[in-house]
Each structure stands twice: as structure tokens, then as C-alpha cells.
Amino acid sequence: MQDIKSYTLTELTEYITSLGEPAFRAKQLYQWMHEKCVASLDDMSNIPKALKEKLRSDAANGSVDITPADATPQKVDITTITPVDIRESRDGTRKYLFELPDGELIESVLMRYKYGNTVCVSSQVGCRMGCRFCASTMDGLTRNLTPAEMLDQIYRITRDINERISHVVVMGMGEPMDNYDTLITFLRILTSPEGYNLSRRNITVSTCGLTERIREFADEDTGVTLAISLHAPDDELRRTMMPIANRYSIAEITEAAKYFFDRTGRRITYEYALVRDTNDSEECAHKLADLCRQTGAHVNLIPVNPVTGRGYAPTADDGVRAFKNKLEKQGINVTIRRELGQDIDGACGQLRKRYTGDLR
Ligand code: SAH
């Protein structure tokens, strides 16, 4: 089953003309959904009633999915996700818990910076990558999100704050490269000039390092930035933190990262969560600097966010600064990710866990 909010403009035009409607109607619908971010067909003032009925009856006979899968009484006519909890932190960060049409829950985070509004988007309900420090993966993967469900996180937040979102990071729940086709459609729609028109340069996709997908992504030439969650500079240590390291070695990741840089001209970022007495030694900094030189990568450091039941403690502030200095002395470009929203379960997947009852 399909959902018109997940259609590219070309696909939507095909569908609308197949209904015997003029092509410009597709563009109007697309603009309502993706530029004006309306939540319902009812709000689309220049769409004739007859076409709305046609779309609704197509939904009813199942040829296009504009009602929720289980056709619950609160009838929606284009896939829209619903905020069930919004928490605002002292630093202005807002954490949204969204309910999907089938009742599943996902998290999105709004971070406010001087240069604009960033939304951290989820790509799956749960995750099957199993990183030991991460809350999102504790119950495995429930399902992939659809393009509409990824897009609507940005649209609902835009409407909530009545401001445009300037930056998007695909760093919420899930592994985006494990939901690859959806990721590509999401990026196409999000950056399309007839839609939200978000600048490619302001989008970052983060992966734990699925190397075949990284190469495919490089060939796709989406123009977005790629971040790779490295977290350890050698395979042995990385395997203790990330099960995926049993499948892909750091040498393979390095090759894929080089390929990405050669194909796109865009430097990648290595994400590195500092865990006390685990990956924050001087030796680790040296090895990490070597890896960065091989690929021209930047480093994004973050003290690991402690997750209940995980037993990983963050490196203290002075340790974080020392690690940064060591990298910088070797000519590596380093940023420290500000820990926003700690007072509102800012760490990955924690707000949802509180709701599903696993965290008190
Ligand atoms: N699956 C993708 C994107 C989602 S996670 C990935 O692995 O990159 C986004 C980032 O948050 C990743 O770098 C991930 O390793 C990191 N992360 C997960 N749990 C964390 C925690 N408890 N503390 C700090 N960073 C964490």
C-alpha cells in the first residue's frame, strides 16, 4: 500500500493524472503537504472538493493509503504523526514523542542554535544494530519508518514552533542505512524545490558503518554530509561496543569513507562517544588521529550519555578537553557536541523507554 505523502512529485503527478486530473493538481497537493506542512486534506483550500473525495475513496478501497492502516475513528487523510508528549529543556531543546498511525512511538529532538533550528530525525522504530551504549536498540527493530513518517517529524515541529527548520540530522532512533530506500526518498522530497526545499548542505546522515550502503550512498550523490559512528579506533575495542564491528572492520570502513570523499568531495565526520577508561586514552587519540588522516575526516566528540542498564560512564569534562587537544595537536579538526536537553531524557531513545515502561 502506498501513501501520497511518501510520493516524489513525479510519482504523485503520475498518480493524479491517472485519476484523470490535470498535472498541476499534483503540484498543489505536493506544496500543501511538503511546503506548507498541513496535516489534512481539509486544510488544502485550493483543492476542489471532488478531488478530495476521489482521494478519500481511493483510500477507502485501499489503492492509495491516506488513512491509517487500521482505519481508527480519528480519521486522518494523509499520513500524519501525532505528538503525545513534548518536553522543553532549560536550554531550549525540545523533545517530541510522536505516535505513528499504528500506535508505535518514536522520538525527535529540536535543538536551537544561533544559526538556526536543527531537528534530529528517527528512521526506524527501534534498531537492530545492537550498540551497547544506546537505548534505542535494547528491544531490537520493530519496523522501518515510511518516508512520510520521517518527513512529518520535521513538518509537525515546524508547525509547532511556527518557524522553519534549517538543519536536519538523521541521528534519532534507528539505522538509516538499514532503511535505505526510504532514506533516499526522504532526502529527495525534503530537498525538492517544490517542497520544504531544505538545503542539502544542511543535512547529515549518521550510520554505524554499513560499508556497501556507504558506497551506494556515495554513488547516489545526494549532496548531504555523512557521519560514521566509529567510537573506537581499533577493531577489538570496537567489537566490545558495537556488534556491527564483527561484520565490518575499521579497514573496510576507512575504504568506504575514502570512496565517499573521492566521489562526493565531501569530508566525512567520525562520531566518537567518550567512555571513561575505555576509549579515551592517549593511545586511542593517536590511533584515531591516524584514521582521520587517512580519510580527511573530522571528529565529533561527545561524552557518552549514560543509559539506564547499560553501565557506560562518560569521560569527565577535563578528560574530554584533553582528548580534543591531543587530536588537535595532530592537526585533526574536532568539535565537541554540546549535550543539549539532558534534563529531559535527551539521550537517544530514553524518552520512549520511559513511556513503554522500561525506565522509571
Ligand atoms: N544508527 C545511526 C544513527 C543513530 S544514533 C548511527 O549509529 O550512527 C546517532 C548517534 O548517537 C550515533 O553516533 C550513536 O552511536 C550515538 N549514540 C547512541 N547512544 C548514545 C549514547 N548513549 N551516548 C552518546 N552517543 C550515543
Side-chain angles (χ1 to χ4, degrees), residues 32 36-38 154-163:
W32 281 115
K36 304 190 183 83
C37 307
V38 302
I154 298 158
Y155 302 165
R156 298 285 57 83
I157 294 175
T158 301
R159 282 293 181 132
D160 182 49
I161 61 173
N162 221 353
E163 283 175 35

Side-chain angles (χ1 to χ4, degrees), residues 133-134 171-172 174-176 206-208 229 231 271 273 304-305 307 348:
F133 44 83
C134 177
M171 290 191 188
E175 168 51 52
S206 180
T207 175
C208 62
S229 300
H231 302 318
E271 306 207 59
V304 77
N305 253 313
V307 171
C348 324

Side-chain angles (χ1 to χ4, degrees), residues 214-313:
I214 292 175
R215 286 167 191 271
E216 226 177 302
F217 197 59
D219 294 340
E220 199 85 43
D221 202 17
T222 57
V224 310
T225 301
L226 182 69
I228 300 179
S229 300
L230 200 63
H231 302 318
D234 66 67
D235 288 318
E236 198 185 336
L237 179 58
R238 195 164 188 264
R239 283 195 285 262
T240 68
M241 301 170 73
M242 305 172 71
I244 196 71
N246 293 303
R247 209 152 107 212
Y248 302 100
S249 68
I250 291 178
E252 286 171 297
I253 290 179
T254 304
E255 283 310 307
K258 275 188 198 155
Y259 183 81
F260 186 88
F261 182 51
D262 290 345
R263 282 299 301 243
T264 66
R266 297 187 70 71
R267 281 175 195 280
I268 57 145
T269 302
Y270 281 140
E271 306 207 59
Y272 200 95
L274 284 163
V275 183
R276 192 188 304 161
D277 300 330
T278 302
N279 63 357
D280 57 357
S281 66
E282 194 161 343
E283 194 197 342
C284 283
H286 272 289
K287 286 186 186 166
L288 178 57
D290 269 346
L291 291 173
C292 292
R293 272 191 293 270
Q294 288 177 41
T295 53
H298 304 305
V299 175
N300 200 343
L301 291 177
I302 179 171
V304 77
N305 253 313
V307 171
T308 312
R310 288 308 217 189
Y312 280 95

